Amino acid sequence: MLRSLKKLERYKVSATDGDLGSVVNFLVEDERWTVRYLVVDTGGIFGGRKVLISPISFRNVDYSAQRFNLALTMDKIKNSPSVDLERPVSRQHERDYYGYYGYPYYWGYGGSWGMGYYPGAMATAAVDYDRARAGERPGEPASDVHLRSAKEVTGYHIEGTDGSIGHIEDFVVDDESWAIRYMVVDTSNWWVGKSVLVAPEWASRVSWLDRKVYVDMTRDAIKKSPEWGVNDPVDRAFEERLYRHYGRMPLRRKSDSSPRSTPAGRMAP
């Protein structure tokens, strides 16, 4: 199911033996536009430290109670590697994190995600971790940073072919794969009272320095796009209308219930 990421903020998070805290942010991988971590504020627990929680560790999610239930103990989380969330999270930090929990590195296993992902892959994770401790670095260099704060990216301006078309106010995420399916664009700076959905794959490039996302769309196309409200479902019918409007060809996947387009271009730093 597709859900507003902003609505998932403030969800409670529970370990197997106690309440951990509340979600205050998300870290998004900028290459595959996928939520890789929840940032959880532990309050007075662990000295007020914020911790990263991967969707791999979910036991289940109770959406009616607005709670993420983890398959981790409080003690396991308490002793996890510390990460300074005021600074970019490097691949080395992530390697330490995944090695500690025994999870495989996501950047070596494609884009899928979520509960029950990587069946049988824990043995591979242990091998990778041993290689890393021995000095080998599978995957990307330790200095590479590919994680972006969802709160920081919210507010980025969307630039069309004939001018600015708005700014990002939210994201729509697949609650199984944790892939970001759409950016929610607020057009109120030039077209009052309308929010529209734009898929990250439709961006021609992203300037992280200038806080701008560039799309090959005109203002008129955005103006006539199907309107979306935060309480409106993003179902198959809506997505079909959206794709037809923009003349995009959906790429249907066997395990995917929603249409996806082929990428319009690689994101540029």
Side-chain angles (χ1 to χ4, degrees):
M1 184 174 179
L2 302 186
R3 300 179 185 274
S4 158
L5 195 63
K6 190 173 290 185
K7 280 194 167 185
L8 299 179
E9 290 182 9
R10 313 313 306 180
Y11 267 40
K12 302 297 182 182
V13 182
S14 295
T16 57
D17 54 352
D19 290 336
L20 180 64
S22 301
V23 178
V24 293
N25 199 1
F26 302 89
L27 296 185
V28 177
E29 183 199 359
D30 64 16
E31 290 192 315
R32 295 188 181 96
W33 287 86
T34 301
V35 173
R36 297 302 184 183
Y37 303 98
L38 283 64
V39 180
V40 180
D41 187 343
T42 63
I45 305 173
F46 310 158
R49 169 185 163 205
K50 291 184 176 68
V51 296
L52 297 182
I53 297 296
S54 165
I56 293 179
S57 65
F58 292 171
R59 187 171 74 250
N60 59 63
V61 183
D62 187 339
Y63 289 102
S64 61
Q66 299 187 351
R67 184 174 294 273
F68 294 102
N69 296 309
L70 309 180
L72 299 171
T73 65
M74 295 287 282
D75 190 59
K76 184 70 173 178
I77 299 167
K78 179 180 180 180
N79 294 312
S80 64
S82 295
V83 177
D84 182 0
L85 295 176
E86 299 302 316
R87 304 178 64 183
V89 179
S90 70
R91 281 288 193 246
Q92 182 57 58
H93 287 132
E94 291 192 272
R95 288 191 183 100
D96 292 342
Y97 177 94
Y98 280 84
Y100 173 78
Y101 283 113
Y103 298 151
Y105 304 138
Y106 64 79
W107 53 91
Y109 294 88
S112 300
W113 205 235
M115 294 179 290
Y117 181 49
Y118 304 136
M122 295 307 174
T124 303
V127 171
D128 280 349
Y129 187 47
D130 288 342
R131 288 170 59 197
R133 293 182 64 184
E136 297 180 44
R137 299 301 181 195
E140 300 181 27
S143 60
D144 279 10
V145 176
H146 291 286
L147 297 175
R148 308 282 172 177
S149 160
K151 283 191 173 180
E152 190 267 333
V153 178
T154 300
Y156 274 32
H157 286 276
I158 308 294
E159 297 292 328
T161 57
D162 55 355
S164 175
I165 61 176
H167 65 272
I168 299 173
E169 64 173 350
D170 194 3
F171 299 95
V172 174
V173 64
D174 185 319
D175 65 10
E176 291 187 4
S177 68
W178 286 89
I180 290 179
R181 292 295 183 83
Y182 301 102
M183 301 176 287
V184 181
V185 181
D186 180 355
T187 66
S188 61
N189 61 319
W190 67 278
W191 185 251
V192 179
K194 182 171 183 176
S195 293
V196 299
L197 302 185
V198 175
E201 292 94 337
W202 301 345
S204 56
R205 69 184 181 94
V206 178
S207 173
W208 304 108
L209 181 63
D210 296 330
R211 297 171 53 89
K212 291 182 178 181
V213 179
Y214 294 84
V215 295
D216 294 326
M217 299 174 180
T218 65
R219 281 187 162 193
D220 188 61
I222 292 293
K223 186 184 294 188
K224 296 175 181 177
S225 172
E227 187 171 358
W228 182 79
V230 69
N231 294 315
D232 295 338
V234 184
D235 54 19
R236 174 65 66 82
F238 181 87
E239 290 192 280
E240 294 286 359
R241 286 175 53 214
L242 190 67
Y243 276 72
R244 281 198 304 270
H245 171 74
Y246 288 118
R248 304 282 171 166
M249 179 64 68
L251 174 63
R252 298 190 183 280
R253 298 177 179 173
K254 188 174 181 180
S255 60
D256 195 351
S257 61
S258 301
R260 299 295 301 275
S261 69
T262 53
R266 180 178 174 83
M267 302 301 177

